[in-house]
Amino acid sequence: MPMEKQDSFADIIVLCLIMATGAAEAAHLSGIFFHRPVSECTIIFGTFTVLAVALLLILTAVRRHRGSRRGECGEGQTRFCRSEALLLLLFAVLAASQIFFIFRGKNVYLQGDMTVETVRSFLETDTVYGVNPMTGRAYEKGLPSRIEILCLPTLYAVLCRIFHIRPDVLILQAFPVITLLGCYGAYACLAKGFFPGNRRKQLCLLVVVSLLIWIGSSSFGMDGFGLLYSGWRGVTIRNVVLVPYAVSLCLRKKYIYLPLCILAELCIVWTLYGMGACLAVILGMTLASLFTCKVRAGKGAADGGTL
């Protein structure tokens, strides 16, 4: 089956999350290095987010228009057969149960995490890392460089200001649901990469992923545990959204978006000059693709020589 080249709805979900992260990084750096208050960072975040999402939607519309002119069918099938409808229903039930589990707000893992306290200090002082949330006073030795570039606390602070929501509600309940939706968006794209044009197998993969999330939630260190118990952490977002989406981009040969995954990881998780999990995955997929092409070329030459 030909690989789908147009951006799907799942692509848009993940890319919007990535672009919001980029906008938060711009706001965060303004607060850190130019000492802008959180109120101004909120305006910067909103402006960059609107512009980035508008650009994404325009590019998507242009690509769909060009695809329709070339006769590409895009999503292809529209009607669901009975087995596909049952798989979709099963996936919807599993996903809804996970959303309910997160929204209860009673199933969180907070050991060693100070995100809520940090965001509260941002909002109360109207500064980005103006005070140490543990002491309520300014940092005596300055901020570690690895913290200066990580934007998630600023992202949560500006979202709290925009939606007038308490930090604990946003961080422990609302944003983990966004991470869950981003996770399923990434795996929906991965399913398209594995099974292009086969919607039944794509839905089967999503059902398997949702079951594995429940199974993995029982063990600390598993992605399911991170997703259902600490979906606001950068490591969780990287593991369940950015990495599978990067793999899907490699499979579908949508290389234009790959740098965004690397940059998004750099903004939310400490890496060595951007050399994190996404870059390792992309390099591994590239080497595997080159090796496969070389093997196929060798077999083709051998077959041609025997004719």
Side-chain angles (χ1 to χ4, degrees), residues 65-112:
H65 177 68
R66 290 179 178 176
S68 63
R69 291 183 62 182
R70 291 194 299 263
E72 296 176 3
C73 58
E75 294 292 333
Q77 303 167 317
T78 55
R79 297 185 61 183
F80 286 82
C81 65
R82 180 175 298 180
S83 61
E84 292 173 346
L86 290 175
L87 286 169
L88 181 61
L89 177 62
L90 177 58
F91 167 69
V93 170
L94 290 168
S97 66
Q98 291 162 354
I99 292 174
F100 176 75
F101 183 85
I102 293 172
F103 260 140
R104 290 180 62 197
K106 300 179 180 179
N107 309 288
V108 293
Y109 183 79
L110 294 172
Q111 185 173 346

mmCIF file of all heavy atoms in Angstrom, residues 65-112:
data_model
loop_
_atom_site.group_PDB
_atom_site.id
_atom_site.type_symbol
_atom_site.label_atom_id
_atom_site.label_comp_id
_atom_site.label_asym_id
_atom_site.label_seq_id
_atom_site.Cartn_x
_atom_site.Cartn_y
_atom_site.Cartn_z
ATOM 1 N N HIS A 65 -4.695 20.087 -0.190
ATOM 2 C CA HIS A 65 -5.180 20.587 -1.480
ATOM 3 C C HIS A 65 -4.316 20.054 -2.613
ATOM 4 O O HIS A 65 -4.837 19.597 -3.646
ATOM 5 C CB HIS A 65 -5.172 22.109 -1.473
ATOM 6 C CG HIS A 65 -5.590 22.723 -2.766
ATOM 7 N ND1 HIS A 65 -6.876 22.631 -3.254
ATOM 8 C CD2 HIS A 65 -4.878 23.431 -3.701
ATOM 9 C CE1 HIS A 65 -6.950 23.250 -4.419
ATOM 10 N NE2 HIS A 65 -5.753 23.736 -4.709
ATOM 11 N N ARG A 66 -2.998 20.079 -2.426
ATOM 12 C CA ARG A 66 -2.102 19.553 -3.451
ATOM 13 C C ARG A 66 -2.300 18.048 -3.629
ATOM 14 O O ARG A 66 -2.258 17.535 -4.746
ATOM 15 C CB ARG A 66 -0.656 19.841 -3.075
ATOM 16 C CG ARG A 66 -0.271 21.319 -3.172
ATOM 17 C CD ARG A 66 1.162 21.537 -2.754
ATOM 18 N NE ARG A 66 1.561 22.943 -2.893
ATOM 19 C CZ ARG A 66 2.736 23.425 -2.526
ATOM 20 N NH1 ARG A 66 3.646 22.601 -1.978
ATOM 21 N NH2 ARG A 66 3.014 24.696 -2.687
ATOM 22 N N GLY A 67 -2.526 17.352 -2.512
ATOM 23 C CA GLY A 67 -2.752 15.910 -2.601
ATOM 24 C C GLY A 67 -4.028 15.581 -3.346
ATOM 25 O O GLY A 67 -4.074 14.639 -4.142
ATOM 26 N N SER A 68 -5.091 16.380 -3.109
ATOM 27 C CA SER A 68 -6.350 16.129 -3.814
ATOM 28 C C SER A 68 -6.214 16.407 -5.308
ATOM 29 O O SER A 68 -6.810 15.734 -6.138
ATOM 30 C CB SER A 68 -7.463 16.989 -3.207
ATOM 31 O OG SER A 68 -7.176 18.367 -3.375
ATOM 32 N N ARG A 69 -5.394 17.405 -5.654
ATOM 33 C CA ARG A 69 -5.186 17.703 -7.080
ATOM 34 C C ARG A 69 -4.404 16.585 -7.771
ATOM 35 O O ARG A 69 -4.590 16.325 -8.949
ATOM 36 C CB ARG A 69 -4.435 19.021 -7.224
ATOM 37 C CG ARG A 69 -5.259 20.236 -6.823
ATOM 38 C CD ARG A 69 -4.487 21.521 -7.047
ATOM 39 N NE ARG A 69 -4.168 21.706 -8.464
ATOM 40 C CZ ARG A 69 -3.463 22.726 -8.928
ATOM 41 N NH1 ARG A 69 -3.008 23.648 -8.082
ATOM 42 N NH2 ARG A 69 -3.207 22.822 -10.219
ATOM 43 N N ARG A 70 -3.535 15.899 -7.006
ATOM 44 C CA ARG A 70 -2.777 14.779 -7.579
ATOM 45 C C ARG A 70 -3.547 13.475 -7.508
ATOM 46 O O ARG A 70 -3.053 12.433 -7.928
ATOM 47 C CB ARG A 70 -1.437 14.625 -6.850
ATOM 48 C CG ARG A 70 -0.454 15.758 -7.116
ATOM 49 C CD ARG A 70 0.939 15.358 -6.648
ATOM 50 N NE ARG A 70 0.954 15.085 -5.219
ATOM 51 C CZ ARG A 70 1.327 15.961 -4.302
ATOM 52 N NH1 ARG A 70 1.675 17.188 -4.662
ATOM 53 N NH2 ARG A 70 1.337 15.638 -3.024
ATOM 54 N N GLY A 71 -4.746 13.518 -6.913
ATOM 55 C CA GLY A 71 -5.560 12.316 -6.841
ATOM 56 C C GLY A 71 -5.265 11.444 -5.650
ATOM 57 O O GLY A 71 -5.696 10.292 -5.604
ATOM 58 N N GLU A 72 -4.525 11.976 -4.621
ATOM 59 C CA GLU A 72 -4.273 11.184 -3.424
ATOM 60 C C GLU A 72 -5.528 11.151 -2.585
ATOM 61 O O GLU A 72 -6.222 12.140 -2.402
ATOM 62 C CB GLU A 72 -3.113 11.793 -2.627
ATOM 63 C CG GLU A 72 -1.792 11.760 -3.385
ATOM 64 C CD GLU A 72 -0.680 12.448 -2.619
ATOM 65 O OE1 GLU A 72 -0.936 12.888 -1.481
ATOM 66 O OE2 GLU A 72 0.441 12.541 -3.140
ATOM 67 N N CYS A 73 -5.786 9.979 -1.988
ATOM 68 C CA CYS A 73 -7.045 9.786 -1.271
ATOM 69 C C CYS A 73 -6.941 10.158 0.194
ATOM 70 O O CYS A 73 -7.930 10.154 0.914
ATOM 71 C CB CYS A 73 -7.522 8.338 -1.397
ATOM 72 S SG CYS A 73 -6.326 7.122 -0.775
ATOM 73 N N GLY A 74 -5.746 10.448 0.713
ATOM 74 C CA GLY A 74 -5.606 10.836 2.115
ATOM 75 C C GLY A 74 -5.954 9.696 3.036
ATOM 76 O O GLY A 74 -5.360 8.634 3.027
ATOM 77 N N GLU A 75 -6.969 9.905 3.859
ATOM 78 C CA GLU A 75 -7.352 8.896 4.841
ATOM 79 C C GLU A 75 -7.958 7.661 4.206
ATOM 80 O O GLU A 75 -7.990 6.607 4.800
ATOM 81 C CB GLU A 75 -8.352 9.502 5.839
ATOM 82 C CG GLU A 75 -7.765 10.594 6.705
ATOM 83 C CD GLU A 75 -6.734 10.078 7.683
ATOM 84 O OE1 GLU A 75 -6.824 8.897 8.062
ATOM 85 O OE2 GLU A 75 -5.852 10.837 8.067
ATOM 86 N N GLY A 76 -8.470 7.791 2.979
ATOM 87 C CA GLY A 76 -8.966 6.605 2.285
ATOM 88 C C GLY A 76 -10.351 6.209 2.766
ATOM 89 O O GLY A 76 -11.324 6.903 2.551
ATOM 90 N N GLN A 77 -10.437 5.051 3.438
ATOM 91 C CA GLN A 77 -11.724 4.509 3.831
ATOM 92 C C GLN A 77 -12.460 5.457 4.765
ATOM 93 O O GLN A 77 -11.865 6.155 5.567
ATOM 94 C CB GLN A 77 -11.511 3.172 4.540
ATOM 95 C CG GLN A 77 -10.752 2.157 3.694
ATOM 96 C CD GLN A 77 -10.296 0.987 4.550
ATOM 97 O OE1 GLN A 77 -9.820 1.161 5.665
ATOM 98 N NE2 GLN A 77 -10.456 -0.193 4.021
ATOM 99 N N THR A 78 -13.785 5.449 4.660
ATOM 100 C CA THR A 78 -14.609 6.260 5.550
ATOM 101 C C THR A 78 -15.557 5.401 6.375
ATOM 102 O O THR A 78 -15.781 5.683 7.541
ATOM 103 C CB THR A 78 -15.419 7.284 4.738
ATOM 104 O OG1 THR A 78 -16.187 6.598 3.732
ATOM 105 C CG2 THR A 78 -14.481 8.289 4.067
ATOM 106 N N ARG A 79 -16.101 4.348 5.798
ATOM 107 C CA ARG A 79 -17.042 3.488 6.516
ATOM 108 C C ARG A 79 -16.301 2.405 7.281
ATOM 109 O O ARG A 79 -15.309 1.862 6.825
ATOM 110 C CB ARG A 79 -18.039 2.849 5.536
ATOM 111 C CG ARG A 79 -18.920 3.865 4.822
ATOM 112 C CD ARG A 79 -19.945 3.167 3.966
ATOM 113 N NE ARG A 79 -20.834 2.322 4.763
ATOM 114 C CZ ARG A 79 -21.791 1.554 4.256
ATOM 115 N NH1 ARG A 79 -21.970 1.517 2.935
ATOM 116 N NH2 ARG A 79 -22.551 0.844 5.037
ATOM 117 N N PHE A 80 -16.807 2.112 8.483
ATOM 118 C CA PHE A 80 -16.214 1.080 9.324
ATOM 119 C C PHE A 80 -17.001 -0.213 9.173
ATOM 120 O O PHE A 80 -18.243 -0.212 9.230
ATOM 121 C CB PHE A 80 -16.237 1.501 10.800
ATOM 122 C CG PHE A 80 -15.231 2.560 11.148
ATOM 123 C CD1 PHE A 80 -15.495 3.901 10.903
ATOM 124 C CD2 PHE A 80 -14.023 2.223 11.729
ATOM 125 C CE1 PHE A 80 -14.579 4.881 11.215
ATOM 126 C CE2 PHE A 80 -13.090 3.188 12.048
ATOM 127 C CZ PHE A 80 -13.366 4.519 11.799
ATOM 128 N N CYS A 81 -16.288 -1.326 8.996
ATOM 129 C CA CYS A 81 -16.968 -2.617 9.021
ATOM 130 C C CYS A 81 -17.212 -2.998 10.485
ATOM 131 O O CYS A 81 -16.782 -2.307 11.410
ATOM 132 C CB CYS A 81 -16.133 -3.680 8.309
ATOM 133 S SG CYS A 81 -14.574 -4.059 9.121
ATOM 134 N N ARG A 82 -17.897 -4.120 10.711
ATOM 135 C CA ARG A 82 -18.292 -4.487 12.071
ATOM 136 C C ARG A 82 -17.076 -4.725 12.968
ATOM 137 O O ARG A 82 -17.037 -4.245 14.116
ATOM 138 C CB ARG A 82 -19.157 -5.752 12.043
ATOM 139 C CG ARG A 82 -19.623 -6.207 13.432
ATOM 140 C CD ARG A 82 -20.567 -7.387 13.343
ATOM 141 N NE ARG A 82 -21.780 -7.039 12.607
ATOM 142 C CZ ARG A 82 -22.769 -7.886 12.383
ATOM 143 N NH1 ARG A 82 -22.673 -9.160 12.803
ATOM 144 N NH2 ARG A 82 -23.845 -7.501 11.725
ATOM 145 N N SER A 83 -16.082 -5.444 12.471
ATOM 146 C CA SER A 83 -14.901 -5.719 13.293
ATOM 147 C C SER A 83 -14.147 -4.436 13.636
ATOM 148 O O SER A 83 -13.661 -4.264 14.761
ATOM 149 C CB SER A 83 -13.970 -6.689 12.574
ATOM 150 O OG SER A 83 -13.503 -6.144 11.343
ATOM 151 N N GLU A 84 -14.063 -3.509 12.678
ATOM 152 C CA GLU A 84 -13.392 -2.236 12.946
ATOM 153 C C GLU A 84 -14.173 -1.415 13.964
ATOM 154 O O GLU A 84 -13.576 -0.782 14.847
ATOM 155 C CB GLU A 84 -13.230 -1.449 11.652
ATOM 156 C CG GLU A 84 -12.243 -2.074 10.672
ATOM 157 C CD GLU A 84 -12.228 -1.369 9.332
ATOM 158 O OE1 GLU A 84 -13.159 -0.576 9.067
ATOM 159 O OE2 GLU A 84 -11.292 -1.622 8.542
ATOM 160 N N ALA A 85 -15.501 -1.438 13.862
ATOM 161 C CA ALA A 85 -16.322 -0.702 14.816
ATOM 162 C C ALA A 85 -16.159 -1.264 16.223
ATOM 163 O O ALA A 85 -16.087 -0.514 17.205
ATOM 164 C CB ALA A 85 -17.785 -0.758 14.383
ATOM 165 N N LEU A 86 -16.078 -2.579 16.341
ATOM 166 C CA LEU A 86 -15.883 -3.203 17.656
ATOM 167 C C LEU A 86 -14.512 -2.849 18.231
ATOM 168 O O LEU A 86 -14.384 -2.571 19.432
ATOM 169 C CB LEU A 86 -16.042 -4.716 17.541
ATOM 170 C CG LEU A 86 -17.462 -5.228 17.278
ATOM 171 C CD1 LEU A 86 -17.460 -6.742 17.056
ATOM 172 C CD2 LEU A 86 -18.387 -4.863 18.433
ATOM 173 N N LEU A 87 -13.497 -2.860 17.375
ATOM 174 C CA LEU A 87 -12.156 -2.492 17.840
ATOM 175 C C LEU A 87 -12.122 -1.031 18.284
ATOM 176 O O LEU A 87 -11.513 -0.699 19.311
ATOM 177 C CB LEU A 87 -11.133 -2.736 16.729
ATOM 178 C CG LEU A 87 -10.768 -4.185 16.436
ATOM 179 C CD1 LEU A 87 -9.950 -4.286 15.148
ATOM 180 C CD2 LEU A 87 -9.984 -4.785 17.597
ATOM 181 N N LEU A 88 -12.774 -0.167 17.515
ATOM 182 C CA LEU A 88 -12.827 1.248 17.862
ATOM 183 C C LEU A 88 -13.562 1.447 19.191
ATOM 184 O O LEU A 88 -13.138 2.249 20.036
ATOM 185 C CB LEU A 88 -13.509 2.036 16.755
ATOM 186 C CG LEU A 88 -13.614 3.553 16.961
ATOM 187 C CD1 LEU A 88 -12.228 4.171 17.082
ATOM 188 C CD2 LEU A 88 -14.382 4.201 15.813
ATOM 189 N N LEU A 89 -14.655 0.717 19.388
ATOM 190 C CA LEU A 89 -15.406 0.821 20.636
ATOM 191 C C LEU A 89 -14.569 0.342 21.819
ATOM 192 O O LEU A 89 -14.552 0.979 22.884
ATOM 193 C CB LEU A 89 -16.693 0.004 20.531
ATOM 194 C CG LEU A 89 -17.565 -0.044 21.801
ATOM 195 C CD1 LEU A 89 -18.031 1.360 22.169
ATOM 196 C CD2 LEU A 89 -18.764 -0.970 21.587
ATOM 197 N N LEU A 90 -13.861 -0.767 21.641
ATOM 198 C CA LEU A 90 -13.015 -1.297 22.709
ATOM 199 C C LEU A 90 -11.915 -0.308 23.069
ATOM 200 O O LEU A 90 -11.641 -0.048 24.253
ATOM 201 C CB LEU A 90 -12.403 -2.637 22.282
ATOM 202 C CG LEU A 90 -11.431 -3.294 23.268
ATOM 203 C CD1 LEU A 90 -12.100 -3.536 24.617
ATOM 204 C CD2 LEU A 90 -10.894 -4.594 22.686
ATOM 205 N N PHE A 91 -11.294 0.279 22.043
ATOM 206 C CA PHE A 91 -10.251 1.270 22.293
ATOM 207 C C PHE A 91 -10.832 2.487 23.010
ATOM 208 O O PHE A 91 -10.213 3.019 23.950
ATOM 209 C CB PHE A 91 -9.599 1.692 20.981
ATOM 210 C CG PHE A 91 -8.735 2.912 21.103
ATOM 211 C CD1 PHE A 91 -7.536 2.867 21.799
ATOM 212 C CD2 PHE A 91 -9.136 4.123 20.537
ATOM 213 C CE1 PHE A 91 -6.747 3.993 21.927
ATOM 214 C CE2 PHE A 91 -8.351 5.249 20.665
ATOM 215 C CZ PHE A 91 -7.153 5.184 21.355
ATOM 216 N N ALA A 92 -12.009 2.952 22.588
ATOM 217 C CA ALA A 92 -12.628 4.121 23.210
ATOM 218 C C ALA A 92 -12.934 3.857 24.683
ATOM 219 O O ALA A 92 -12.724 4.731 25.538
ATOM 220 C CB ALA A 92 -13.909 4.501 22.461
ATOM 221 N N VAL A 93 -13.392 2.645 25.003
ATOM 222 C CA VAL A 93 -13.696 2.302 26.396
ATOM 223 C C VAL A 93 -12.421 2.297 27.234
ATOM 224 O O VAL A 93 -12.373 2.840 28.350
ATOM 225 C CB VAL A 93 -14.397 0.933 26.470
ATOM 226 C CG1 VAL A 93 -14.492 0.444 27.913
ATOM 227 C CG2 VAL A 93 -15.793 1.028 25.855
ATOM 228 N N LEU A 94 -11.363 1.685 26.702
ATOM 229 C CA LEU A 94 -10.097 1.636 27.430
ATOM 230 C C LEU A 94 -9.522 3.039 27.641
ATOM 231 O O LEU A 94 -9.064 3.380 28.740
ATOM 232 C CB LEU A 94 -9.093 0.762 26.676
ATOM 233 C CG LEU A 94 -9.388 -0.741 26.664
ATOM 234 C CD1 LEU A 94 -8.498 -1.452 25.644
ATOM 235 C CD2 LEU A 94 -9.181 -1.326 28.051
ATOM 236 N N ALA A 95 -9.545 3.860 26.593
ATOM 237 C CA ALA A 95 -9.018 5.226 26.711
ATOM 238 C C ALA A 95 -9.850 6.052 27.686
ATOM 239 O O ALA A 95 -9.305 6.815 28.493
ATOM 240 C CB ALA A 95 -8.983 5.886 25.336
ATOM 241 N N ALA A 96 -11.183 5.896 27.626
ATOM 242 C CA ALA A 96 -12.055 6.648 28.533
ATOM 243 C C ALA A 96 -11.818 6.240 29.985
ATOM 244 O O ALA A 96 -11.836 7.086 30.885
ATOM 245 C CB ALA A 96 -13.515 6.429 28.148
ATOM 246 N N SER A 97 -11.581 4.954 30.222
ATOM 247 C CA SER A 97 -11.308 4.494 31.584
ATOM 248 C C SER A 97 -10.006 5.090 32.103
ATOM 249 O O SER A 97 -9.894 5.422 33.293
ATOM 250 C CB SER A 97 -11.243 2.966 31.621
ATOM 251 O OG SER A 97 -10.140 2.469 30.880
ATOM 252 N N GLN A 98 -9.024 5.254 31.223
ATOM 253 C CA GLN A 98 -7.761 5.863 31.638
ATOM 254 C C GLN A 98 -7.920 7.355 31.914
ATOM 255 O O GLN A 98 -7.323 7.883 32.861
ATOM 256 C CB GLN A 98 -6.705 5.608 30.564
ATOM 257 C CG GLN A 98 -6.295 4.148 30.477
ATOM 258 C CD GLN A 98 -5.609 3.790 29.171
ATOM 259 O OE1 GLN A 98 -5.520 4.612 28.260
ATOM 260 N NE2 GLN A 98 -5.140 2.558 29.065
ATOM 261 N N ILE A 99 -8.726 8.028 31.110
ATOM 262 C CA ILE A 99 -8.994 9.446 31.358
ATOM 263 C C ILE A 99 -9.688 9.620 32.702
ATOM 264 O O ILE A 99 -9.339 10.515 33.492
ATOM 265 C CB ILE A 99 -9.849 10.033 30.217
ATOM 266 C CG1 ILE A 99 -9.030 10.090 28.919
ATOM 267 C CG2 ILE A 99 -10.361 11.428 30.579
ATOM 268 C CD1 ILE A 99 -9.831 10.528 27.709
ATOM 269 N N PHE A 100 -10.662 8.760 32.998
ATOM 270 C CA PHE A 100 -11.358 8.822 34.284
ATOM 271 C C PHE A 100 -10.396 8.550 35.432
ATOM 272 O O PHE A 100 -10.440 9.214 36.475
ATOM 273 C CB PHE A 100 -12.503 7.804 34.301
ATOM 274 C CG PHE A 100 -13.215 7.717 35.622
ATOM 275 C CD1 PHE A 100 -14.093 8.716 36.008
ATOM 276 C CD2 PHE A 100 -13.000 6.642 36.476
ATOM 277 C CE1 PHE A 100 -14.749 8.647 37.227
ATOM 278 C CE2 PHE A 100 -13.643 6.568 37.699
ATOM 279 C CZ PHE A 100 -14.518 7.577 38.075
ATOM 280 N N PHE A 101 -9.510 7.580 35.249
ATOM 281 C CA PHE A 101 -8.520 7.231 36.263
ATOM 282 C C PHE A 101 -7.633 8.436 36.584
ATOM 283 O O PHE A 101 -7.336 8.712 37.753
ATOM 284 C CB PHE A 101 -7.669 6.065 35.761
ATOM 285 C CG PHE A 101 -6.656 5.561 36.738
ATOM 286 C CD1 PHE A 101 -7.004 4.633 37.703
ATOM 287 C CD2 PHE A 101 -5.343 5.990 36.688
ATOM 288 C CE1 PHE A 101 -6.077 4.153 38.611
ATOM 289 C CE2 PHE A 101 -4.396 5.512 37.577
ATOM 290 C CZ PHE A 101 -4.768 4.592 38.545
ATOM 291 N N ILE A 102 -7.227 9.179 35.553
ATOM 292 C CA ILE A 102 -6.364 10.346 35.754
ATOM 293 C C ILE A 102 -7.155 11.496 36.370
ATOM 294 O O ILE A 102 -6.686 12.171 37.295
ATOM 295 C CB ILE A 102 -5.740 10.774 34.416
ATOM 296 C CG1 ILE A 102 -4.768 9.702 33.910
ATOM 297 C CG2 ILE A 102 -5.012 12.104 34.567
ATOM 298 C CD1 ILE A 102 -4.249 9.948 32.499
ATOM 299 N N PHE A 103 -8.379 11.729 35.878
ATOM 300 C CA PHE A 103 -9.171 12.865 36.341
ATOM 301 C C PHE A 103 -9.545 12.760 37.811
ATOM 302 O O PHE A 103 -9.832 13.778 38.458
ATOM 303 C CB PHE A 103 -10.446 13.005 35.506
ATOM 304 C CG PHE A 103 -10.339 14.056 34.440
ATOM 305 C CD1 PHE A 103 -10.883 13.843 33.186
ATOM 306 C CD2 PHE A 103 -9.707 15.260 34.686
ATOM 307 C CE1 PHE A 103 -10.781 14.805 32.193
ATOM 308 C CE2 PHE A 103 -9.595 16.232 33.709
ATOM 309 C CZ PHE A 103 -10.143 15.999 32.458
ATOM 310 N N ARG A 104 -9.538 11.564 38.352
ATOM 311 C CA ARG A 104 -9.849 11.419 39.779
ATOM 312 C C ARG A 104 -8.840 12.193 40.629
ATOM 313 O O ARG A 104 -9.179 12.689 41.709
ATOM 314 C CB ARG A 104 -9.843 9.953 40.180
ATOM 315 C CG ARG A 104 -11.003 9.143 39.617
ATOM 316 C CD ARG A 104 -10.882 7.705 40.073
ATOM 317 N NE ARG A 104 -10.954 7.600 41.529
ATOM 318 C CZ ARG A 104 -10.555 6.535 42.217
ATOM 319 N NH1 ARG A 104 -10.032 5.503 41.584
ATOM 320 N NH2 ARG A 104 -10.656 6.512 43.524
ATOM 321 N N GLY A 105 -7.615 12.293 40.148
ATOM 322 C CA GLY A 105 -6.597 13.056 40.856
ATOM 323 C C GLY A 105 -6.064 12.399 42.104
ATOM 324 O O GLY A 105 -5.307 13.009 42.868
ATOM 325 N N LYS A 106 -6.423 11.143 42.338
ATOM 326 C CA LYS A 106 -5.977 10.442 43.544
ATOM 327 C C LYS A 106 -4.847 9.461 43.251
ATOM 328 O O LYS A 106 -4.330 8.816 44.168
ATOM 329 C CB LYS A 106 -7.151 9.680 44.166
ATOM 330 C CG LYS A 106 -8.311 10.580 44.578
ATOM 331 C CD LYS A 106 -9.450 9.763 45.156
ATOM 332 C CE LYS A 106 -10.617 10.667 45.573
ATOM 333 N NZ LYS A 106 -11.756 9.880 46.119
ATOM 334 N N ASN A 107 -4.487 9.344 41.993
ATOM 335 C CA ASN A 107 -3.486 8.351 41.604
ATOM 336 C C ASN A 107 -2.284 9.063 41.001
ATOM 337 O O ASN A 107 -2.085 9.084 39.790
ATOM 338 C CB ASN A 107 -4.084 7.368 40.580
ATOM 339 C CG ASN A 107 -5.397 6.782 41.062
ATOM 340 O OD1 ASN A 107 -5.448 5.974 41.958
ATOM 341 N ND2 ASN A 107 -6.485 7.227 40.437
ATOM 342 N N VAL A 108 -1.495 9.693 41.856
ATOM 343 C CA VAL A 108 -0.335 10.446 41.394
ATOM 344 C C VAL A 108 0.900 9.968 42.154
ATOM 345 O O VAL A 108 0.821 9.537 43.304
ATOM 346 C CB VAL A 108 -0.524 11.961 41.593
ATOM 347 C CG1 VAL A 108 -1.626 12.478 40.687
ATOM 348 C CG2 VAL A 108 -0.830 12.287 43.045
ATOM 349 N N TYR A 109 2.033 10.073 41.483
ATOM 350 C CA TYR A 109 3.314 9.701 42.087
ATOM 351 C C TYR A 109 4.143 10.973 42.193
ATOM 352 O O TYR A 109 4.601 11.515 41.193
ATOM 353 C CB TYR A 109 4.029 8.660 41.222
ATOM 354 C CG TYR A 109 5.336 8.172 41.816
ATOM 355 C CD1 TYR A 109 5.341 7.232 42.831
ATOM 356 C CD2 TYR A 109 6.555 8.668 41.350
ATOM 357 C CE1 TYR A 109 6.533 6.790 43.389
ATOM 358 C CE2 TYR A 109 7.755 8.227 41.894
ATOM 359 C CZ TYR A 109 7.732 7.284 42.912
ATOM 360 O OH TYR A 109 8.923 6.853 43.455
ATOM 361 N N LEU A 110 4.323 11.446 43.436
ATOM 362 C CA LEU A 110 4.944 12.746 43.665
ATOM 363 C C LEU A 110 6.327 12.664 44.301
ATOM 364 O O LEU A 110 6.929 13.707 44.583
ATOM 365 C CB LEU A 110 4.043 13.600 44.558
ATOM 366 C CG LEU A 110 2.691 14.009 43.956
ATOM 367 C CD1 LEU A 110 1.819 14.684 44.992
ATOM 368 C CD2 LEU A 110 2.892 14.914 42.760
ATOM 369 N N GLN A 111 6.828 11.466 44.518
ATOM 370 C CA GLN A 111 8.117 11.344 45.192
ATOM 371 C C GLN A 111 9.220 12.038 44.385
ATOM 372 O O GLN A 111 9.460 11.736 43.220
ATOM 373 C CB GLN A 111 8.470 9.871 45.391
ATOM 374 C CG GLN A 111 9.747 9.663 46.191
ATOM 375 C CD GLN A 111 9.979 8.198 46.516
ATOM 376 O OE1 GLN A 111 9.084 7.374 46.384
ATOM 377 N NE2 GLN A 111 11.187 7.878 46.950
ATOM 378 N N GLY A 112 9.909 12.976 45.041
ATOM 379 C CA GLY A 112 11.002 13.698 44.394
ATOM 380 C C GLY A 112 10.569 14.736 43.377
ATOM 381 O O GLY A 112 11.415 15.303 42.689
#
